[in-house]
DNA sequence: CCAAAAGTGTTGTGCGTACACCCATGG
DNA sequence: CCATGGGTGTACGCACAACACTTTTGG
């Protein structure tokens, strides 16, 4: 049963451009792996065949709406369509560093963003028509969705997520609609379990600000009274600071900053 | 600010064996990405520098304990330590296919497993001392933890997860302890939200079987009466089938098979 | 004085935990 | 007849949604 450690040179005929037709092939290839490193290992001696990139689903809340940073593609494939910022992973680079690099190139943000979280790996063999590209999508947020500066950055734009795919909204390239949708869903989930909402508002913030961030991301309205109680009942979520803020009309609101805790006990449940 | 599209050839001096020292370097590399494909793209024309593998955290329940499939390493690095099964991703292969291939090679399972889920990407630049290896860990389960057959498969073994790191238990290679821990935590979480528990028991099963699977994975005891009500109150989780089963002593139990639904509404909450 | 937003108080309902109790089998 | 596990019934308590009410500002 065990092979002798040799394997057929699968790069014999030089890599052809694309092999969409080979999708089903791997499903029946259930023979024992001819591991070149013996039990428990795998051969990593030769050059890899698969390119690994990082794509960033970068979100913010802007005037009551959830927005995502997209970049317009200038050339084939998919010219005129919009993509999330991406970068090829460098040999000694961590995913979060590559993610920062991708966003810096598109959004003019000069400091690395703090909260980054892995989203999912997008691995469909034909997701990029040029060659095999596996993408690790990561989720990131900012409190200040600044419009990208000019020059090479001008192609980036913040789009309301609820306009994607509609008449006035962007059309996404490749499988990036899947990436954005996964990011939206993960962000909505993380708002329940973590204090990521405090990264969506600028300090200091009122509990009304925080509530409106939740409402924008979840697309629903929340009871101000109950929301307030839940936030204050969760230790480490927010900390009150000095002063009050008067917006327009209405009673001045207490000001808060981010608390120490990252996970929320108890969570802020999302209405179903 | 924008470069002209050229980038330094970062593979100039041939790749040295390992570069642990370069960990901090990428953190300050915040210059604009020199994209070789213009806005919204990245260069994928040349061979990648990063190898992508799939590591499988493969779980089962055996005699009341959660077990995981591990493979003993035979050679450097980390000989004598135990690793989860892994495989290098082939150019036209989906992650789930590579995961199946890795497990088939180690566990003698002849059919592809059904439930596979992405766990996380392990991307630390020095996680493998030989070369840069990025690992996508996936979670899989089986109802029948068969001992691997002989020959090249003999190095695989099912280990109780609660013995890992203890005196009689295995010591894990590389960062595979992180992979197993991530798998355990994800499995515990998915038991709340999905019907993955039905993949941990053989059909037909009793609600006692299902409860004991939860108890093994969660490491706690559950109220049989309340567990029963919760399972039956979740549509699509299980479906009753004909017959009853008498184990040893006690009243015969109704038999069930997997239901149609994959997500659980309402969930089976884990006690905190 | 009115509108609007922040902040506090109160109550009814629903749901889950805990436990009592009955059922059906083997020894 | 007892032990054991399966299956049903039920009451207590707590958490939360809903809504009333007060506070403090601008117009």
């Amino acid at each position: 049963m065990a092979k002798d450690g040799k394997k057929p040179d699968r790069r014999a005929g030089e890599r052809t451009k694309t092999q969409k037709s080979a999708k089903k092939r791997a499903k029946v290839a259930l023979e024992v792996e001819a591991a070149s490193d013996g039990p428990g290992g795998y051969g990593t001696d030769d050059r890899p065949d698969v390119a690994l990139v990082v794509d960033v689903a970068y979100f913010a809340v802007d005037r009551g709406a959830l927005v995502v940073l997209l970049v317009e593609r200038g050339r084939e494939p998919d010219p005129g369509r919009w993509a999330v910022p991406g970068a090829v992973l460098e040999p000694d680079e961590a995913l979060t560093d590559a993610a920062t690099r991708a966003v810096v190139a598109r959004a003019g943000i000069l400091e690395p963003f703090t909260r980054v979280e892995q989203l999912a790996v997008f691995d469909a063999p034909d997701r990029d028509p040029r060659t095999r590209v596996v993408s690790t999508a990561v989720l990131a947020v900012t409190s200040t969705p600044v419009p990208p500066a000019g020059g090479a950055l001008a192609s980036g734009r913040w789009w309301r997520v609820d306009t994607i795919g509609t008449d006035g909204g962007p059309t996404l390239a490749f499988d990036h609609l899947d990436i954005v949708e996964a990011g939206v869903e993960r962000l909505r989930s993380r708002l329940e379990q973590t204090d990521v909402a405090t990264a969506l508002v600028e300090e200091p913030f009122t509990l009304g600000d925080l509530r409106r961030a939740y409402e924008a991301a979840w697309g629903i309205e929340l009871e101000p009274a109950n929301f307030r109680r839940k936030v204050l009942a969760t230790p480490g979520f927010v900390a009150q600071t000095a002063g009050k803020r008067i917006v327009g009309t209405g009673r001045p609101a207490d000001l808060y900053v981010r608390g120490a805790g990252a996970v929320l006990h108890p969570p802020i449940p999302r209405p179903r």
Side-chain angles (χ1 to χ4, degrees), chain A residues 144-216:
Chain A
T144 52
V146 296
L153 309 175
S155 62
R157 227 205 91 167
W158 292 93
W159 284 96
R160 291 176 56 128
V161 297
D162 56 10
T163 66
I164 293 174
T166 64
D167 52 346
T171 302
L172 297 199
F174 306 126
D175 56 358
H176 286 204
L177 180 58
D178 296 332
I179 294 177
V180 171
E181 284 177 346
V184 170
E185 192 41 53
R186 182 71 65 90
L187 176 60
R188 286 177 173 164
S189 170
R190 284 297 178 268
L191 286 168
E192 297 187 83
Q193 313 283 349
T194 75
D195 64 348
V196 65
T198 59
L200 286 168
V201 295
E202 288 183 87
E203 287 184 323
F205 52 86
T206 69
L207 294 187
D209 295 334
L210 198 63
R211 177 173 49 82
R212 282 180 285 271
Y214 273 92
E215 291 175 334

Side-chain angles (χ1 to χ4, degrees), chain A residues 13-262:
Chain A
E14 272 308 306
R15 192 175 49 193
T16 55
K17 295 189 66 172
T18 309
Q19 296 183 338
K20 285 193 181 183
S21 57
K23 254 192 286 187
K24 291 243 155 153
R25 189 185 56 73
K27 199 135 197 180
V28 293
L30 293 183
E31 71 275 7
V32 169
E33 181 203 15
S36 65
D37 192 28
Y42 27 70
T44 52
D45 303 325
D46 36 28
R47 302 302 301 260
D49 295 299
V50 179
L52 183 58
V53 309
V54 179
D55 287 319
V56 187
Y58 196 35
F59 293 99
V61 170
D62 184 29
R63 279 159 293 175
L66 186 65
V67 295
V68 62
L69 181 64
L70 297 176
V71 185
E72 189 171 22
R73 288 188 55 79
R75 67 174 65 181
E76 294 291 343
D78 282 353
R81 297 193 174 212
W82 294 78
V84 299
V88 177
L89 189 68
E90 298 279 329
D92 291 304
E93 191 178 41
L95 284 177
T96 55
D97 296 322
T100 303
R101 195 161 48 80
V103 169
V104 165
R106 309 298 179 192
I109 310 261
L110 294 181
E111 62 203 287
F113 40 62
T114 48
R115 289 153 203 274
V116 193
E117 172 178 322
Q118 292 179 16
L119 254 186
V121 177
F122 291 83
D123 67 321
D126 58 350
R127 59 182 294 277
D128 189 314
R130 291 166 295 184
T131 181
R132 181 70 193 279
V133 178
V134 171
S135 164
T136 297
V138 302
L139 171 68
V141 300
T142 181
S143 62
T144 52
V146 296
L153 309 175
S155 62
R157 227 205 91 167
W158 292 93
W159 284 96
R160 291 176 56 128
V161 297
D162 56 10
T163 66
I164 293 174
T166 64
D167 52 346
T171 302
L172 297 199
F174 306 126
D175 56 358
H176 286 204
L177 180 58
D178 296 332
I179 294 177
V180 171
E181 284 177 346
V184 170
E185 192 41 53
R186 182 71 65 90
L187 176 60
R188 286 177 173 164
S189 170
R190 284 297 178 268
L191 286 168
E192 297 187 83
Q193 313 283 349
T194 75
D195 64 348
V196 65
T198 59
L200 286 168
V201 295
E202 288 183 87
E203 287 184 323
F205 52 86
T206 69
L207 294 187
D209 295 334
L210 198 63
R211 177 173 49 82
R212 282 180 285 271
Y214 273 92
E215 291 175 334
W218 284 346
I220 54 173
E221 294 196 338
L222 298 173
E223 279 287 328
N226 295 333
F227 177 82
R228 171 190 186 80
R229 266 188 291 261
K230 287 181 198 172
V231 169
L232 296 181
T234 300
F237 191 6
V238 299
Q240 192 168 1
T241 189
K244 292 179 182 290
R245 177 185 300 161
I246 307 160
V247 188
T249 177
R251 172 175 171 176
D254 297 338
L255 290 175
Y256 294 83
V257 293
R258 299 186 247 283

Side-chain angles (χ1 to χ4, degrees), chain A residues 256-268:
Chain A
Y256 294 83
V257 293
R258 299 186 247 283
V263 291
L264 265 34
H265 293 297
I268 309 295

